[in-house]
Amino acid sequence: MRDRQIHRARVVSSVAATLISLACGTNYVYSAWAPQFADKLHLTTTEINWIGLAGNMGMYSMGVPVGLFVDNRGPRPAVIAGSLCLGLGYFPFRHAYDSASGSVPILCIFAYLTGLGGCMAFSAAVKTSALNWPHHRGTATAFPLAAFGLSAFFFSLFGGVLFPGDTSAFLTLLAVGTFCMTFVGFFFLKVYPHASYHSLPTGAPGLADSQRLHRTLSEEDKAPRRSGGRRSPDAEPGTSPNTTYTTPQPGSSQDAAPAADRIDVEAALPYPSDGTPQDVEVADETSSLMSKSSSSSSSSSMAADVYIQNSVDKDRSHRVDIRGWRLLSNVDFWQLFCIMGILAGIGLMTINNIGHDVNALWKYYDHMVDEAFLVHRQQMHVSILSIGSFCGRLLSGVGSDFLVKSLHANRAWCLVIACVVFCIAQLSAITITNPHLLGLVSSLSGLGYGFLFGVFPSIVAESFGIRGLSQNWGFMTLSPVISGNIFNLLYGAIFDGHTVVGPDGDRSCPDGLDCYRNAYLVTLAACGLGIVVTLSTIRHQYRQRLVEEGKGAAED
């Protein structure tokens, strides 16, 4: 009965995580209201892009500290903090639009809050889903990830249906909707610890007495046992306290183990017989949890041997652990950092400026279009981008698994596909003059962006290990901050170069495609560079795997 109740509570928590994630991707709906906001406040395209970039920086630049905050304090404080940041970020935009005045630097600060709030709440939602369903993490985290990708579609759809052509009401929807969805979700988002049972494989000589099943607590409940104390009833599940692993004695069989495996091997060993609590083994979910024994060091050596033998069947992400300063000196990291920066920057330029593309083409194509029609078209293309991103994430996940498991190919080939999709999108952007066909640009840009972010976390895990994924992914997401600034400011400068300022301060670009064509020529060249770097990375990783396999065969 209690198991059913806990299962039901976990389902409710997952629904809350999905609802929270749906409110966190609103940075991608920026193009649905930014052009009208710029017109009302008489801002240049470069100035409105600065505001959009501030939102992107809040989302991407704080990945590492937000991840550490969620790990140390638990998911729930991050949700409530994110809820406040989203509400405080969007309400001033509604006020600035209604009053037709606002300082760009101050608006950038509020935009940064919207990105930071989305980053905090989304990180908490994903971690909660992963902790609640440790044996179904792929499915559990797929829901908040998909909801994040569909956030722009959700809000643009509701805005178009409830407030067609009303930018002020749409900004109110963003402020109230994001705050309420995250705030309500906070009360239902909770980590419910698991208890699991593990046993050693049979048939290992010298370990006959170790075949009993042992009840082990989930990661968040191990902390007080490790330190010899009891868990505080007020402790937040999902936090990651400091952990000290047993250091193997010289001469044991662990000395022959690869450095990347030692943490797991050490985690599998018993505590030393010095009074340290012996009731719970220190190990993560990927470790084989060895039974406790007070025998001599020979049993420790045997435990390590069994663990290493069982590790042969694990994928590379469980055999390597590269992070911190070692990550920054790794060639693969800088290659992937460049790929992420190039492709994410290309995608962000279109995501932040598709509204300007729509305005430029439609005003050139039909001089009689009104503001409500343009707003509707902007929201439509934002929805197309969102759906394309959602589909790209799904396709890259399934496709990368097919590449690895069926074709035994590198998962990074999905990045080549993303490069090709982006190339087609840029070619479409520099040739399409009929605004009815602009959907090709938005759909392909969303698809390529989804392909990129759908497969990249898996590539990072396989390249540098699963244990440091959170902090490594945080470092990786710093690259879009750099490239996004470059490409978006370039777009703004080119668009402003074709803009005409009227007597009343109204700004418009009468040149149609020429308003932004040169910006897409630059991103097309960047796509070519991205293909070259991606192929170089695949080649480098292939050679690296051959070397590792050669060393493994030599050791055998």
Side-chain angles (χ1 to χ4, degrees), residues 342-425:
I342 292 170
L343 299 185
I346 293 170
L348 286 173
M349 191 187 82
T350 299
I351 289 171
N352 286 352
N353 293 288
I354 190 66
H356 295 298
D357 294 357
V358 170
N359 278 1
L361 281 191
W362 273 107
K363 288 180 179 179
Y364 184 81
Y365 184 81
D366 183 0
H367 298 287
M368 302 302 293
V369 294
D370 58 10
E371 198 70 15
F373 176 84
L374 291 175
V375 171
H376 172 71
R377 286 288 169 171
Q378 289 166 199
Q379 293 173 342
M380 182 189 76
H381 283 282
V382 167
S383 298
I384 293 173
L385 271 165
S386 181
I387 294 173
S389 176
F390 170 73
C391 293
R393 290 168 193 261
L394 291 181
L395 290 174
S396 64
V398 176
S400 65
D401 285 342
F402 175 77
L403 283 173
V404 172
K405 295 178 181 179
S406 299
L407 301 181
H408 305 290
N410 194 319
R411 203 180 294 269
W413 281 105
C414 282
L415 297 180
V416 177
I417 297 175
C419 290
V420 172
V421 172
F422 273 128
C423 279
I424 299 173

Side-chain angles (χ1 to χ4, degrees), residues 261-275:
D261 290 333
R262 287 182 184 168
I263 292 178
D264 282 276
V265 174
E266 292 163 3
L269 295 177
Y271 283 98
S273 54
D274 58 358

Side-chain angles (χ1 to χ4, degrees), residues 82-379:
S83 176
L84 294 174
C85 286
L86 285 167
L88 292 174
Y90 276 118
F91 272 112
F93 281 99
R94 199 285 305 269
H95 176 73
Y97 183 84
D98 290 343
S99 63
S101 64
S103 168
V104 172
I106 293 177
L107 291 174
C108 285
I109 293 174
F110 289 124
Y112 187 88
L113 285 178
T114 64
L116 177 60
C119 178
M120 296 184 75
F122 179 62
S123 297
V126 171
K127 177 165 184 177
T128 300
S129 296
L131 290 174
N132 276 334
W133 308 97
H135 304 297
H136 306 281
R137 280 184 178 168
T139 302
T141 57
F143 286 99
L145 286 170
F148 182 84
L150 287 176
S151 180
F153 170 73
F154 174 80
F155 279 96
S156 60
L157 177 65
F158 266 77
V161 172
L162 300 178
F163 315 109
D166 190 343
T167 302
S168 177
F170 185 66
L171 288 170
T172 304
L173 173 67
L174 288 174
V176 175
T178 55
F179 173 78
C180 290
M181 290 168 69
T182 50
F183 186 75
V184 171
F186 164 81
F187 294 99
F188 301 96
L189 189 78
K190 189 175 181 182
V191 176
Y192 296 90
H194 280 258
S196 57
Y197 294 85
H198 300 270
S199 68
L200 282 172
T202 58
L207 291 175
D209 296 334
S210 303
Q211 302 304 315
R212 297 187 303 275
L213 292 174
H214 294 270
R215 187 176 187 273
T216 63
L217 296 175
S218 61
E219 201 64 31
E220 60 269 15
D221 276 353
K222 293 175 186 173
R225 303 288 187 91
R226 291 169 181 158
S227 58
R230 295 180 59 84
R231 182 180 180 85
S232 168
D234 298 328
E236 172 70 20
T239 57
S240 299
N242 295 329
T243 303
T244 302
Y245 294 111
T246 304
T247 302
Q249 297 297 324
S252 71
S253 63
Q254 288 158 280
D255 293 338
D261 290 333
R262 287 182 184 168
I263 292 178
D264 282 276
V265 174
E266 292 163 3
L269 295 177
Y271 283 98
S273 54
D274 58 358
T276 307
Q278 303 266 337
D279 56 340
V280 178
E281 294 86 347
V282 180
D284 59 24
E285 287 184 38
T286 63
S287 303
S288 297
L289 300 182
M290 305 298 175
S291 61
K292 297 175 290 293
S293 174
S294 58
S295 60
S296 63
S297 61
S298 62
S299 71
S300 297
S301 299
M302 182 63 69
D305 291 339
V306 171
Y307 176 79
I308 294 170
Q309 184 175 356
N310 291 341
S311 296
V312 173
D313 295 329
K314 291 185 176 182
D315 61 81
R316 190 174 188 271
S317 65
H318 295 288
R319 292 186 282 108
V320 299
D321 186 12
I322 302 172
R323 50 181 139 171
W325 292 111
R326 292 179 60 208
L327 182 74
L328 299 180
S329 61
N330 189 280
V331 175
D332 279 347
F333 168 75
W334 291 110
Q335 288 178 324
L336 292 174
F337 189 88
C338 290
I339 295 170
M340 167 66 86
I342 292 170
L343 299 185
I346 293 170
L348 286 173
M349 191 187 82
T350 299
I351 289 171
N352 286 352
N353 293 288
I354 190 66
H356 295 298
D357 294 357
V358 170
N359 278 1
L361 281 191
W362 273 107
K363 288 180 179 179
Y364 184 81
Y365 184 81
D366 183 0
H367 298 287
M368 302 302 293
V369 294
D370 58 10
E371 198 70 15
F373 176 84
L374 291 175
V375 171
H376 172 71
R377 286 288 169 171
Q378 289 166 199
Q379 293 173 342

Side-chain angles (χ1 to χ4, degrees), residues 364-518:
Y364 184 81
Y365 184 81
D366 183 0
H367 298 287
M368 302 302 293
V369 294
D370 58 10
E371 198 70 15
F373 176 84
L374 291 175
V375 171
H376 172 71
R377 286 288 169 171
Q378 289 166 199
Q379 293 173 342
M380 182 189 76
H381 283 282
V382 167
S383 298
I384 293 173
L385 271 165
S386 181
I387 294 173
S389 176
F390 170 73
C391 293
R393 290 168 193 261
L394 291 181
L395 290 174
S396 64
V398 176
S400 65
D401 285 342
F402 175 77
L403 283 173
V404 172
K405 295 178 181 179
S406 299
L407 301 181
H408 305 290
N410 194 319
R411 203 180 294 269
W413 281 105
C414 282
L415 297 180
V416 177
I417 297 175
C419 290
V420 172
V421 172
F422 273 128
C423 279
I424 299 173
Q426 310 314 298
L427 288 171
S428 300
I430 63 179
T431 56
I432 289 176
T433 57
N434 186 339
H436 292 98
L437 302 178
L438 196 58
L440 284 174
V441 178
S442 53
S443 60
L444 290 173
S445 296
L447 186 66
Y449 197 76
F451 249 97
L452 173 67
F453 278 90
V455 74
F456 222 95
S458 297
I459 294 175
V460 172
E462 288 184 353
S463 299
F464 313 117
I466 194 71
R467 300 175 192 89
L469 177 60
S470 295
Q471 56 183 284
N472 290 346
W473 179 245
F475 281 115
M476 199 64 68
T477 54
L478 291 175
S479 58
V481 176
I482 302 171
S483 59
N485 283 342
I486 295 173
F487 289 127
N488 277 280
L489 294 178
L490 174 69
Y491 183 101
I494 291 173
F495 201 97
D496 286 338
H498 294 268
T499 299
V500 176
V501 181
D504 55 354
D506 291 338
R507 309 176 67 89
S508 63
C509 181
D511 298 335
L513 176 60
D514 289 337
C515 293
Y516 57 82
R517 187 172 185 269
N518 289 339

Side-chain angles (χ1 to χ4, degrees), residues 522-534:
V522 174
T523 51
L524 178 61
C527 283
L529 178 61
I531 292 176
V532 172
V533 177
T534 304

